[in-house]
Amino acid sequence: MFLQQSHLTPYETWTYYFSIYLPSIGFALPNTAFTETELKEIDKQARRTSISKCGFNRNTQVEILEGSSELGGAGFCKIYTKQGLGMTQQIVSHLRANNQAGTMAQIGIKWAQYASGMEYSIFEVPDTDIPHLDLINLKAFCKFLTDITDL
């Protein structure tokens, strides 16, 4: 609502989107298990308004809006991608940490691997359905790994 009624220039709107809006919603995203569809719905109004206020047509192709600015795109990003990258960074940083959080992350992953009953890593083939392993965040992370592998 704030953005719709503001008198920001396209450059100021772009700055607001990338330096205030994305960091504010992106902070908690790695700890959530929203689906891509749910995140699109969450982001729809803010993204639509931001695109319009930045001077783009609201019906501009998503590929152009999400394309790299170096290649002529607008540089907008999916918050689903932001969530998945945040999960990846969080897991890697915990695994590399030489502290209690790192130890707990290793225990959790080893437990999930053991409980899965698979002889290969649960991250090696992330699209494998493991119905008896009901860990929502792990499934969301594996879904993200599958989605980026399919690109």
Side-chain angles (χ1 to χ4, degrees), residues 84-104:
L85 292 175
M87 287 177 169
T88 306
Q89 287 177 322
Q90 197 172 56
I91 289 170
V92 170
S93 68
H94 284 316
L95 291 175
R96 289 183 176 174
N98 191 16
N99 59 20
Q100 187 176 6
T103 304
M104 295 303 290

Side-chain angles (χ1 to χ4, degrees), residues 54-130:
C54 283
F56 294 99
N57 185 316
R58 291 178 193 213
N59 299 317
T60 303
Q61 290 291 318
V62 174
E63 292 81 6
I64 294 171
L65 294 172
E66 294 174 356
S68 169
S69 55
E70 289 85 19
L71 299 175
F76 287 91
C77 66
K78 295 180 188 177
I79 60 173
Y80 176 69
T81 304
K82 192 162 184 62
Q83 176 191 35
L85 292 175
M87 287 177 169
T88 306
Q89 287 177 322
Q90 197 172 56
I91 289 170
V92 170
S93 68
H94 284 316
L95 291 175
R96 289 183 176 174
N98 191 16
N99 59 20
Q100 187 176 6
T103 304
M104 295 303 290
Q106 289 176 359
I107 290 170
I109 290 172
K110 287 178 183 177
W111 176 86
Q113 181 66 48
Y114 176 75
S116 74
M118 299 185 326
E119 61 183 15
Y120 55 87
S121 171
I122 55 178
F123 300 122
E124 187 176 333
V125 186
D127 60 343
T128 303
D129 186 32
I130 313 169

Side-chain angles (χ1 to χ4, degrees), residues 3 13-14 16-17 21 45-56 76:
L3 199 54
T13 303
W14 189 88
Y16 167 80
Y17 182 81
Y21 174 70
Q45 184 63 39
R47 185 178 178 129
R48 206 165 159 77
T49 304
S50 298
I51 288 167
S52 175
K53 294 286 281 183
C54 283
F56 294 99
F76 287 91

Side-chain angles (χ1 to χ4, degrees), residues 36-49:
E36 186 171 9
T37 307
E38 291 170 333
L39 287 173
K40 277 183 185 177
E41 187 62 33
I42 290 168
D43 192 40
K44 185 180 2 180
Q45 184 63 39
R47 185 178 178 129
R48 206 165 159 77
T49 304

